[in-house]
Every structure is written in C-alpha cells, then in structure tokens.
Amino acid sequence: MIEIKNARKTIGGKVILDDINLRLEDDKVYGFEGENGSGKTMLFRAICGFIGLDQGSVQVDEVMVDGDHIYRDIGLLLENPSFIEDLSGFDNLAMIASIRRLVGPDRINKLLKKVGLYEAKDKAYKTYSLGMKQRLGLANVILEDPKILIFDEPTIALDKKGVKALIEIIKEEKERSKTILISSHEKEIIDDLCDEVFYMEDGKLKQIR
C-alpha cells in the first residue's frame, strides 16, 4: 500500500506537488493523466524516495520514504531509460542483477524474450533503436519481481508489438497482486488497463474515475 499525506514540493519557486493526498492499494492498476510538467513524474519520484518533500509524507508498506530513504521493492520506468552504451542488452540487465543477486541468467533471458529483445540480447545498447531501448527498460522494471511497478509514459517509441508486450506484462503483474502505476498520454492504455484514474494539473491531483 502507498499512502501520501499533504505532499508539497516546490522547485525554483514553482509548486510541483500541491497538497497531494492519495492512498493506493495492492492488486490494482492506477492511471495518471495530465500535460507534461503537471507533476506526474515528480509524484512518482517522491513515491520512490528520489526527492524529498517540503512538507507532508510518503509511506510505502509502512516504510517512510523521502530524499534520504528509498523503498527498494519498486520497479520504475521513467522516460528515456538509461543504460551503459557499450554493454549489450543482456549484460546491462546482468550488471543490475549482480547488485542484489536476486535473479540469474535464466530470468534475464526469459524477460528479453518477453519484450522481444532476445535476438538482439548480445548487441550493444548504443546500437538499439529508441523502441528497443524502451523494451529493455520494460524488462528492467520487472527484473527482480518488485511488488510495486511504476511506468512513466511507457509507450514512447514502442511499435504495436512493443505495446502488446507492455499490456501483457501489466495484466500478468496485476494477476500477481502487484500495485501498478501508469502515466500515459495514450487514453486507450489508461482506459483499458486502469482500475482508477487520476488527473494532475499544476501539481494538483483529482480522481476522475
């Protein structure tokens, strides 16, 4: 469960998060709509503990997170995922997996097949197209089987097969009782996959479904 209370964040004199109160439960997919700069990405960063708040709190599974404390059981895809250019797709995931040693090569290969990158797994990341880079980001989100999954504009640069893989991943993970957050300008993705939908504007949040 994610619980946000009176969250406020100002950057450069601009209010990015404006008194956000939100409670997100397990086994659900939550959609977030809004224009670029409305606060969606900053909200996701706050949930992960990547930024500190000026006031308020974020609690994930009874763990308080802030700019100094992160919640580790989260898989996150932000816009334009970054990996090491000279490493292959497989080696990038293997390097990430080596930190906590929760998964091995079999898991990595399985995920590369799931996102349609298995045939290109040994190619350098710098040779990947934008769509392939996004697919590798999708694989990374679920690499270590996290409890919470956050997808920030996940359909960027994806072709139809990539979008299909994304949808299958989200449906499968929901069946496994994950908490899933998605921000997207693709209304069909939000309408088809999300149990509840929120709209952000100028740092304010309201539920619209």
Side-chain angles (χ1 to χ4, degrees), residues 7 18 30 53 67 74 108 116 121 124-125 141 144 152 175 185 194:
D18 191 356
Y30 296 93
L53 299 173
I74 290 181
I108 295 171
K121 70 172 188 172
Y125 178 74
V141 170
E144 296 179 330
D152 190 9
E175 290 179 359
H185 293 293
C194 298

Side-chain angles (χ1 to χ4, degrees), residues 43-58:
L43 178 63
F44 290 168
R45 289 182 179 274
I47 291 171
C48 295
F50 293 165
I51 62 168
L53 299 173
D54 299 330
Q55 69 180 47
S57 63
V58 177

Side-chain angles (χ1 to χ4, degrees), residues 100-155:
R100 300 174 69 190
R101 299 182 180 180
L102 298 178
V103 300
D106 289 346
R107 169 72 173 171
I108 295 171
N109 282 322
K110 179 180 179 181
L111 293 181
L112 288 171
K113 290 177 182 178
K114 183 184 289 288
V115 300
L117 280 182
Y118 187 76
E119 299 300 323
K121 70 172 188 172
D122 295 322
K123 294 182 179 180
Y125 178 74
K126 64 185 176 184
T127 69
Y128 281 12
S129 67
L130 290 176
M132 293 168 72
K133 291 178 178 179
Q134 192 76 348
R135 288 175 187 238
L136 190 65
L138 294 178
N140 183 48
V141 170
I142 58 175
L143 178 63
E144 296 179 330
D145 195 26
K147 185 174 182 181
I148 297 171
L149 307 175
I150 299 178
F151 299 91
D152 190 9
E153 298 295 343
T155 61

